Amino acid sequence: MEKRLLELRRQKKLQTLIALAIGLVLVIGSAVRTHFTAFTLFEGIGEMFKFVFNDFLPPDLSTLHELLGPALDTIYMSYIGMVIGAVISLVLAFLAAQTTSPHRGIQVATR
């Protein structure tokens, strides 16, 4: 029994390391392909403050009626996305659980 637990822990650590390695490769690959640098991250802060304080404040309430429809569309889309995500995660939760997964390979792939 204890041997099985040690094997499961080793597998879990290996899965975690593989997931972290894949995530790191994706982050580094994205940074390289987009030519990201730490300098570019902070380079636009001045423009951001100009936008917020010059263009955004004080708010122009005369355009509120034009923005209400698109704002509601965004809320509707996010709600539908949440419902779809909840249904998908419910199915995946059963496939990832050790007690309800039909096959060990499906369980590992789902996790």
Side-chain angles (χ1 to χ4, degrees), residues 2-17:
E2 189 165 319
K3 192 174 187 179
R4 174 79 175 144
L5 285 175
L6 290 173
E7 179 65 24
L8 286 175
R9 285 183 184 159
R10 190 184 66 75
Q11 279 182 336
K12 190 69 164 174
K13 284 181 183 179
L14 181 63
Q15 289 174 355
T16 302
L17 287 174

Side-chain angles (χ1 to χ4, degrees), residues 13-78:
K13 284 181 183 179
L14 181 63
Q15 289 174 355
T16 302
L17 287 174
I18 290 172
L20 287 173
I22 290 171
L24 188 62
V25 166
L26 288 173
V27 167
I28 291 172
S30 298
V32 169
R33 290 188 50 90
T34 59
H35 306 292
F36 174 80
T37 63
F39 178 72
T40 57
L41 182 64
F42 298 106
E43 190 176 46
I45 288 180
E47 291 298 318
M48 181 182 65
F49 280 111
K50 283 182 191 175
F51 168 74
V52 169
F53 291 109
N54 292 341
D55 298 333
F56 194 62
L57 295 174
D60 182 13
L61 298 178
S62 66
T63 60
L64 188 61
H65 67 282
E66 296 172 13
L67 301 175
L68 190 59
L72 286 174
D73 288 344
T74 302
I75 292 171
Y76 298 150
M77 286 186 282
S78 64

